[in-house]
Amino acid sequence: MAYNCVVLVKQVPDTKRITGKAMNDDGTVNRAALPAIFNPEDLNALEMALDIKDRFGGTVTVITMGLPAAVTTLKDALYRGADEAILVTDARCAASDTLATSYILSCAVKRIKYDIVLCGRQAIDGDTAQVGPQLAEKLQVPQITYVEKPVEIKGRTITVQRNAGNGWQKVKAQLPVLLTVTSEANVPRVAAAKKMMKYKAAMTPAGVEQKIKAENSHASADEVKELAVQKCSEMDKKGLLIEQWNLDFLKADLTWCGRSGSPTKVHRIQSVVLASKETKSVEPTDEGLSGMIHELLEDKIIA
Amino acid sequence: MIDVNRQGEVWVFAEQHGGRLEDTPIELMSKGRHLADILGVQLSAVLLGDNVKALVAKLIHYGADKVYLAEHPLLEHYQANSYAKVFYDLIHKYKPQIVVYGATAVGRDLGPRIASATKAGLTADCTDLQIGDHKTTDGQTHKNLLFQIRPAFGGNIIATIINYDRWPQMATVREGVMVMATPDTKRKGQIITEKVQLSPQELPIEILEEHTRAKKVDLKAARIIVAGGAGLGSKENFRLIWDLANCLGGAPAATRAAIDLGFIDHDHQVGQTGTTVRPSLYIAVGISGAIQHQSGMSQSQKIVAINNDPQAPIFDVAHYKIVGDLNEVVPRMIKAIKEKGFKEAIESKS
């Protein structure tokens, strides 16, 4: 029996590589100064989907919501073995919190036939782990969070080992389900050279149009459009067209998107200054260290 | 979603497993008590489970005015669907203004499911909660909102999140960041017993097996912590951390980098994605002091840092700064401790 998997991925700034330059003077984050990467645990979610496809057959569709630049993350997913990639992008998605994001993603996922929806446990820019469970609620499917081992599937029954915080659980559910996957679950495969060759040229319709515009600087807008339509249909035949969906296409209710769909708002952002109290320098010698230990004993810090 | 209502109570989700209350909801009771007092409303605990009535008294002793008790055989084991349904119904019936959950595996699974169903906001992993006013860009002032304070962006910024139009205001709060109050066994409170209607269809997950992993170490309870970072270089060399911890009667800990390198088990991790600690003494060895790590240990009473880079950010939070090669400093420190201990033991005898 084959299964259709949908994997939700996110392009994130690499918060591990944060330096002074990445912070603006007002304490906000300068996202442009940070490299954009494939959210690490989303790679584990993708690997889990690819593993299901390897073992049982089926398809792997990857969806991301983000700026047009997030197409690089989708291409990375194609290099690793995804069958199809969809970019959900729309200026009206901006300022979406987790609730609005999960609503928009649910509109996208509902357009696809799926058995299993997979998300990374959490994204490293927000670390909230909320979009997975919220999406499950919107899709009205059971959620199994913190999956830490490859899954077993028989017919329509899936068996999963999950991290339950103070231990682990083995649980069983009927498809469809939504899984959130942790970094312990697997080791993501790397990009395959053949697929990289194949999908290197993959693009969204907007990307195609931009390229044609650049290559035909004298063409009129209509001519560009016509050329783009032609090129897109060619690329689509070769499987190189990355789908691009906006909120109109998704028939999303705009009340629940972007700022208006986001109940949480930012009151204040502060950069972290963990100021020291008084720092005493201690010489790394026997005398220096012995003196420090003596002080710690005197202060009853150590008994 | 419910409307903004100033008389709404403050609620704490009283997470329990097998009839035993978790620590986090008890920690949250003291914070919840504080918030409710500022707002002049009642603090209530919401207790779901099967045969858990015995926990009501404890919740009241820790500060609850009321306990909503929802018992049902199908609530014996937590699962998102059934718990979210019961909780959702309670929110719509009683319209609390604030609901807080521990940011435990359960709280982080349940909170978002409820938030999505109620179409209300939820802020994850808060490290502090306060009450304050917010002025919007159009000049409107919203008074007495829940300030949901959390580190974001890998711990590099602290964001204060609010939620002024769609209530309840909800947050999950990190384990160990709120200080548990002393219970008052004379406190009286009210039990509100709720009728629960659930059918097996509302439990789509079947739990086949369950294993508790005993934590290899309880960092929250340790008075002395010796933590190692990537600077240790190898698992073999990480032995130095164990040795130093042993001679001080402390617990060994590590940064995420050291754990990713396989030097020690994940249970020992201090920092934003690990445990938040506040021991009397924290010794940081070969730790550069990324903000993610600092946020988990900067509240320690005394901090000793050993690093060969005099510019390492860890020194910004240290009380004792030792610049040197850890391979030489740590053995010397062990020697100094043993000598002191020995000398003082003799002095106290004589």
Side-chain angles (χ1 to χ4, degrees):
Chain A
M1 196 171 176
Y3 302 99
N4 297 318
C5 294
V6 175
V7 187
L8 283 314
V9 304
K10 187 178 185 187
Q11 187 176 56
V12 293
D14 191 352
T15 51
K16 267 197 222 153
R17 275 168 214 275
I18 221 151
T19 60
K21 275 187 212 141
M23 304 300 293
N24 296 323
D25 290 341
D26 61 355
T28 56
V29 179
N30 177 12
R31 284 182 184 246
L34 286 170
I37 57 165
F38 203 124
N39 180 52
E41 283 179 320
D42 296 351
L43 282 174
N44 299 100
L46 174 61
E47 176 58 37
M48 184 160 282
L50 294 171
D51 173 57
I52 291 169
K53 183 182 145 189
D54 289 347
R55 289 192 286 153
F56 305 101
T59 59
V60 174
T61 304
V62 176
I63 303 179
T64 193
M65 176 179 118
L67 298 171
V71 83
T72 53
T73 298
L74 292 176
K75 281 169 80 168
D76 192 351
L78 292 169
Y79 298 161
R80 290 170 201 259
D83 301 294
E84 220 176 312
I86 297 161
L87 173 68
V88 176
T89 189
D90 195 310
R92 292 166 294 179
C93 295
S96 289
D97 71 358
T98 62
L99 188 72
T101 301
S102 65
Y103 170 69
I104 297 165
L105 290 175
S106 75
C107 295
V109 175
K110 279 176 185 166
R111 304 188 69 89
I112 302 168
K113 213 174 150 269
Y114 64 85
D115 300 299
I116 306 166
V117 180
L118 302 100
C119 307
R121 175 185 59 126
Q122 63 190 39
I124 57 168
D125 54 348
D127 289 318
T128 73
Q130 287 183 179
V131 171
Q134 287 178 328
L135 179 58
E137 194 280 332
K138 303 244 177 281
L139 296 172
Q140 287 298 302
V141 299
Q143 71 201 43
I144 304 175
T145 51
Y146 308 135
V147 178
E148 59 173 18
K149 283 262 168 73
V151 297
E152 286 309 320
I153 317 175
K154 262 200 191 122
R156 300 296 293 169
T157 306
I158 187 165
T159 309
V160 174
Q161 183 173 321
R162 67 182 291 267
N163 183 333
N166 55 352
W168 56 269
Q169 286 181 332
K170 202 167 241 180
V171 301
K172 197 165 97 173
Q174 296 300 305
L175 300 181
V177 293
L178 180 142
L179 311 177
T180 77
V181 183
T182 68
S183 59
E184 281 90 49
N186 52 44
V187 178
R189 68 193 64 185
V190 294
K194 258 192 184 161
K195 290 190 187 291
M196 279 177 89
M197 300 281 281
K198 179 176 174 192
Y199 288 113
K200 209 165 60 182
M203 249 187 257
T204 59
V208 171
E209 202 175 313
Q210 218 173 13
K211 192 165 168 243
I212 287 176
K213 220 190 226 162
E215 287 169 356
N216 303 276
S217 51
H218 300 298
S220 72
D222 283 347
E223 281 168 335
V224 168
K225 223 170 219 155
E226 200 177 308
L227 282 168
V229 169
Q230 218 172 31
K231 179 82 183 162
C232 283
S233 99
E234 271 171 43
M235 288 183 61
D236 197 17
K237 273 182 209 139
K238 287 191 232 160
L240 294 179
L241 197 68
I242 292 178
E243 294 245 15
Q244 184 179 323
W245 293 353
N246 64 16
L247 295 179
D248 300 326
F249 177 81
L250 293 179
K251 297 195 176 75
D253 180 345
L254 297 179
T255 333
W256 299 111
C257 302
R259 197 175 298 276
S260 69
S262 302
T264 58
K265 321 266 196 263
V266 175
H267 169 67
R268 180 172 55 198
I269 296 281
Q270 292 157 291
S271 60
V272 177
V273 188
L274 295 167
S276 68
K277 308 84 199 182
E278 241 175 274
T279 307
K280 241 186 226 178
S281 277
V282 177
E283 286 304 310
T285 56
D286 285 339
E287 298 73 50
L289 293 168
S290 179
M292 180 185 77
I293 299 296
H294 183 75
E295 274 186 34
L296 291 172
L297 278 164
E298 292 247 292
D299 293 347
K300 305 252 182 294
I301 296 295
I302 51 181
Chain B
M1 152 182 107
I2 60 170
D3 290 332
V4 171
N5 86 89
R6 299 287 172 179
Q7 272 64 55
E9 299 170 348
V10 175
W11 281 13
V12 172
F13 168 55
E15 181 182 344
Q16 58 82 27
H17 293 277
R20 208 193 131 264
L21 271 178
E22 289 294 300
D23 281 351
T24 320
I26 303 172
E27 292 161 12
L28 286 179
M29 292 309 289
S30 61
K31 188 50 142 186
R33 183 70 264 160
H34 180 68
L35 300 175
D37 288 344
I38 294 175
L39 295 168
V41 298
Q42 293 200 306
L43 171 68
S44 303
V46 181
L47 179 60
L48 276 56
D50 185 31
N51 267 323
V52 289
K53 202 173 173 181
L55 303 176
V56 168
K58 189 168 178 184
L59 291 164
I60 291 169
H61 296 163
Y62 277 97
D65 297 310
K66 266 188 209 169
V67 178
Y68 294 98
L69 177 66
E71 290 182 308
H72 193 284
L74 292 177
L75 290 175
E76 183 186 355
H77 297 286
Y78 166 78
Q79 64 171 276
N81 279 58
S82 50
Y83 269 56
K85 179 187 182 286
V86 173
F87 212 111
Y88 172 90
D89 290 344
L90 290 173
I91 287 176
H92 283 260
K93 185 168 171 191
Y94 294 104
K95 303 183 176 24
Q97 60 175 302
I98 290 172
V99 182
V100 292
Y101 313 80
T104 57
V106 166
R108 292 176 109 225
D109 189 63
L110 175 66
R113 187 113 193 166
I114 295 172
S116 177
T118 37
K119 297 190 167 67
L122 175 70
T123 302
D125 281 1
C126 292
T127 50
D128 196 9
L129 300 172
Q130 293 170 7
I131 300 293
D133 301 341
H134 175 76
K135 213 170 161 180
T136 55
T137 40
D138 58 11
Q140 258 188 301
T141 300
H142 298 273
K143 283 201 168 301
N144 288 336
L145 293 177
L146 180 67
F147 280 3
Q148 302 147 45
I149 299 163
R150 73 178 303 252
F153 229 73
N156 295 278
I157 55 176
I158 299 286
T160 301
I161 306 295
I162 42 146
N163 184 350
Y164 52 75
D165 47 6
R166 300 200 196 118
W167 279 17
Q169 310 165 81
M170 303 204 288
T172 66
V173 176
R174 289 199 57 177
E175 299 173 60
V177 298
M178 303 295 175
V179 182
M180 213 184 270
T182 328
D184 172 3
T185 50
K186 291 196 193 75
R187 256 189 125 257
K188 294 270 178 282
Q190 201 185 346
I191 305 191
I192 316 275
T193 308
E194 289 295 321
K195 259 214 181 83
V196 177
Q197 276 173 340
L198 274 178
S199 62
Q201 285 79 43
E202 278 151 325
L203 287 92
I205 310 276
E206 188 187 333
I207 300 167
L208 303 173
E209 264 181 83
E210 210 160 7
H211 294 262
T212 314
R213 253 184 298 236
K215 272 225 170 192
K216 295 192 176 82
V217 58
D218 184 6
L219 291 178
K220 273 203 290 189
R223 269 196 82 241
I224 296 174
I225 290 175
V226 181
L232 269 296
S234 67
K235 191 173 178 176
E236 291 68 47
N237 217 27
F238 203 85
R239 192 72 235 165
L240 283 170
I241 300 299
W242 290 91
D243 291 345
L244 183 54
N246 282 342
C247 82
L248 283 166
T255 62
R256 180 165 181 174
I259 281 155
D260 287 349
L261 288 164
F263 295 175
I264 192 169
D265 185 85
H266 179 264
D267 287 351
H268 295 266
Q269 189 186 328
V270 168
Q272 201 189 348
T273 48
T275 310
T276 302
V277 297
R278 48 180 106 223
S280 319
L281 177 62
Y282 191 90
I283 305 181
V285 184
I287 292 175
S288 63
I291 209 88
Q292 292 90 325
H293 184 72
Q294 288 189 16
S295 70
M297 49 68 77
S298 62
Q299 297 298 311
S300 306
Q301 202 184 337
K302 286 279 185 224
I303 297 167
V304 174
I306 305 167
N307 205 295
N308 56 9
D309 173 11
Q311 306 301 325
I314 191 74
F315 290 132
D316 296 344
V317 293
H319 300 88
Y320 292 98
K321 170 180 182 173
I322 307 170
V323 179
D325 179 356
L326 63 93
N327 295 303
E328 288 165 20
V329 175
V330 174
R332 265 188 208 137
M333 206 153 136
I334 292 172
K335 198 175 116 202
I337 293 161
K338 285 187 175 156
E339 274 172 8
K340 282 280 172 209
F342 184 65
K343 228 189 277 166
E344 256 134 72
I346 291 177
E347 277 165 14
S348 63
K349 261 184 201 163
S350 57

